[in-house]
Amino acid sequence: MLIIKKKLIYSLLFVLFFTAGFGVAQYFYHPRVKIGGYNILCNPKAKINPKKNYNLSLWDYQWPVGDDKAGYREYLDQAIADFQKIYPNIRVKVTLLDLLEDSERLNQTLKNGMAPDLYCSAFETPAFNFRWQVPVGPYLNSKEKKEYFTEFLKPVELDGVICSFPRWSSWGIWIGNRSLMEKAGFSIAKIQNAGWTWEEYLSGCRNMGSGNFGLVGNPGQSGFFLQLLANSGNFDPIKGLQWNTPEIGKTLNLLGELVKGKMISRDFDSNALGQFLSGRALVIAGIHPIIDNFLKSRLRDRVITWDPVFLPVPSHIPQQRVLLVENGVICVYRNKKTAGDGQITSAIRLAQFLSLYQEVRPWKELRFFPAGKIAAARWLQELSAEEAMFWQRTVEKAIVCNLEKKAGDQEQIFPVLREFCTGKITKEEAESRLSNYAR
Amino acid sequence: MKKDRQFLIGLGLILIFFIFWGLHPINAGTLKTREKITCEDGEEFLVEETEVLKTLIPPAPDGEFITVDTRTLRLTLYQEWKVVKSYPVAIGTMSTPTPVGEWKIIHKGGNWGDGFGLRWMGLNVPWGIYGIHGTNKPNSIGSRASHGCVRMFNRHVLELYNLTKMGTPVYILGELPKVSLRREITRKSTGRDVLIIQYSLRKSGFDPGPADARFGPDMQKAVLQLQYLYGLAPTGKVSLNEQYLLGLRKI
């Protein structure tokens, strides 16, 4: 009896130790990457099984491109078809979201554990989801990472790990009226190459002559106020855009000079385009670069007779040029139906493929700068030499910073700026209200 | 005590009345049945059925719909994109044009008296009483002769009346009116300028819902999408910026 009991105990102990050892081995074998204090599971060594079919779900946005404005779906289908030439066993189901369907829908699916395998964002980099998101950096070797501009990898990194694929970025740049600028004594080539200071900008505005305006545009959430704030000096590339009272004060001083000199009109925002098209505004600011297509079409139709030119945002410190960008990134998620590490790897490869896809027609039309170097080179080819030089120089010289939009920004910032720029409130009051806004 | 109770009962009845009145959907089709109306053509009809609009029609219909082509002067009834019937019609003159747009049948009724005009199918055009009806001037069919209504031979309107239901979409195709736009157009506005903006939004790749000259939630969403894409302030209103972008305003 004693022998049987001992044998039983030894057997049980053996099974117990074996199970524990197996579990520990599994735990340590399954690779992890540490982000934000969490260990995130990922298995970059997992391969795509060519004999197995994978079904991926992809969410993207319905961008109005093409002659009939319905060309984006065709573009995406072609991209997926090209991907399937390499991976014929990977099927992709595409859902195109309306432009205003913000990340709330994604957040809901993340809560339910049913996020799509791939999510292509619009004008934002979604916050990293520690439970379901797969960081993509471990799946890339150094050669693959070099295919992207380093400047566009930084906004998608967390603790040094690339969390999503950068795809394109919409830049916070201004557009100027070449004729009016040259009359005011500006050298477009010099500004595009080396930037311009606030002093230079104000001085040129004063040279314009009465009846003209130094600035029209949108001061709001993704508009010129934050762009100027980022360029008010003391920008910390690590901390990003800071909402500090001294910087707010400096930025309001600049705008105050324009208000004092009657260089901002009452309808600088609601009739920004009208004033710019009429040739009376030096720059239009705080609007997405897609406006360039509209302006060029007006030029072709001879509605305007002057060239629109891209300009960097004026900077308080000449050596520091900050470029605020709104990104389109591709995030990869696991979900409750994810069929193993092979599926995650297939999603990673699809996301990588789409982020570097060299057919750039939609991005040209939308004026989104591609994050991949080869795609960007193709994008630049179609521009004039001067324009191409501007985009290239900007990405080389500027400090790229992701514009983080916060709920409430538009409602809090925009009305204050509107009242200040139209002279309804003083600089002190505007500064107080903006500083009190807990951004 | 008795007076207080009576007062409270009266107050309660008034409250109930207002609640029911408020629940009644507010839109174009609020004619009572068996009500006489006079259309733009000056013809009088007795409305027998009316529909209060609850949903908007999509621009790509499945099922039954009617088109009126103001260029060929033909009305065509479709069933799932297949032609069921096609009729010659008379439409409005140059000075009193038939309203181009995407409408819906919201009244159905008939004529009384000597039977001229015979049947009436009213449309939800916000700036007037327009519809499809018969006529006692059959020689006008095939010409621009009416005050905006769509005239048919009586035998045709009878046939069409029996084939169509309330709520059937009616797409009047042709040239859009030339109107000057208000400087700012907001939700709940109606009018020809709203119609033009709806078509322009659609042409620019934003779906405003049916082009029915009403600034509803779908149109506001389309405006917000346009503003979002261009980085304009998200007001949901069509101001000068949006009008320039849509090519509706020149310098």
Side-chain angles (χ1 to χ4, degrees), chain A residues 72-293:
Chain A
Y72 187 71
R73 181 64 199 243
E74 197 187 304
Y75 158 83
L76 198 57
D77 286 344
Q78 184 58 51
I80 292 169
D82 287 345
F83 174 77
Q84 286 169 329
K85 287 176 189 164
I86 310 167
Y87 299 102
N89 57 325
I90 298 176
R91 291 193 197 104
V92 185
K93 184 185 168 195
V94 173
T95 303
L96 289 183
L97 307 172
D98 279 342
L99 273 185
L100 287 178
E101 280 187 88
D102 59 13
S103 49
E104 191 45 49
R105 190 169 162 185
L106 176 72
N107 290 340
Q108 202 50 52
T109 55
L110 283 166
K111 269 187 205 157
N112 301 335
M114 292 305 295
D117 298 291
L118 291 92
Y119 170 71
C120 304
S121 75
F123 297 124
E124 65 163 355
T125 305
F128 186 77
N129 184 288
F130 289 92
R131 188 163 177 209
W132 298 108
Q133 191 167 347
V134 180
V136 305
Y139 291 83
L140 301 175
N141 58 37
S142 51
K143 190 180 164 194
E144 286 168 330
K145 286 177 190 172
K146 282 184 182 154
E147 290 183 293
Y148 300 91
F149 288 101
T150 320
E151 295 77 4
F152 299 122
L153 282 177
K154 283 186 193 143
V156 295
E157 274 178 12
L158 200 54
D159 288 350
V161 180
I162 302 170
C163 293
S164 42
F165 287 103
R167 195 183 189 192
W168 50 258
S169 57
S170 178
W171 292 8
I173 46 181
W174 291 10
I175 297 180
N177 175 332
R178 182 192 287 276
S179 303
L180 202 55
M181 289 193 72
E182 284 171 352
K183 272 188 208 156
F186 287 112
S187 161
I188 307 287
K190 188 239 160 203
I191 294 172
Q192 289 185 332
N193 186 31
W196 48 341
T197 63
W198 287 5
E199 278 314 311
E200 285 167 342
Y201 168 56
L202 280 174
S203 168
C205 286
R206 290 179 193 117
N207 288 345
M208 269 192 313
S210 65
N212 293 317
F213 302 111
L215 181 68
V216 294
N218 175 23
Q221 186 181 54
S222 54
F224 62 72
F225 181 74
L226 290 180
Q227 291 167 358
L228 286 168
L229 189 69
N231 282 280
S232 59
N234 300 325
F235 179 80
D236 186 337
I238 295 168
K239 287 184 186 166
L241 182 63
Q242 296 296 298
W243 192 252
N244 292 326
T245 305
E247 269 64 46
I248 292 172
K250 267 192 253 173
T251 311
L252 288 173
N253 280 338
L254 168 65
L255 292 174
E257 289 297 318
L258 293 170
V259 175
K260 222 191 303 177
K262 298 198 175 150
M263 291 180 277
I264 292 188
S265 70
R266 289 201 171 279
D267 54 355
F268 71 96
D269 50 347
S270 61
N271 192 21
L273 269 173
Q275 289 182 359
F276 194 62
L277 289 170
S278 70
R280 294 170 62 204
L282 193 77
V283 296
I284 184 166
I287 309 248
H288 288 154
I290 186 179
I291 202 78
D292 182 56
N293 280 328

Side-chain angles (χ1 to χ4, degrees), chain B residues 138-176:
Chain B
N139 291 338
S140 68
I141 300 296
S143 69
R144 293 173 190 274
S146 77
H147 283 82
C149 287
V150 179
R151 285 185 200 164
M152 300 177 74
F153 289 120
N154 284 337
R155 63 183 188 282
H156 289 164
V157 80
L158 264 173
E159 195 177 67
L160 185 69
Y161 189 93
N162 292 329
L163 288 173
T164 53
K165 299 187 291 289
M166 291 288 287
T168 298
V170 177
Y171 299 100
I172 301 183
L173 314 170
E175 215 176 287
L176 285 171

Side-chain angles (χ1 to χ4, degrees), chain B residues 85-107:
Chain B
K85 288 279 181 183
S86 182
Y87 308 99
V89 294
I91 60 168
T93 63
M94 298 300 276
S95 52
T96 55
T98 297
V100 168
E102 294 166 3
W103 316 113
K104 212 171 173 181
I105 295 175
I106 55 163
H107 314 137

Side-chain angles (χ1 to χ4, degrees), chain B residues 73-149:
Chain B
L73 277 69
R74 286 206 79 85
L75 181 149
T76 309
L77 173 68
Y78 290 85
Q79 186 74 267
E80 285 168 15
W81 293 101
K82 290 192 184 125
V83 174
V84 173
K85 288 279 181 183
S86 182
Y87 308 99
V89 294
I91 60 168
T93 63
M94 298 300 276
S95 52
T96 55
T98 297
V100 168
E102 294 166 3
W103 316 113
K104 212 171 173 181
I105 295 175
I106 55 163
H107 314 137
K108 282 183 87 174
N111 196 278
W112 66 96
D114 64 5
F116 87 102
L118 272 187
R119 288 289 181 267
W120 158 258
M121 287 164 278
L123 305 176
N124 60 327
V125 179
W127 57 79
I129 301 178
Y130 297 90
I132 302 167
H133 59 75
T135 181
N136 66 346
K137 295 168 192 159
N139 291 338
S140 68
I141 300 296
S143 69
R144 293 173 190 274
S146 77
H147 283 82
C149 287

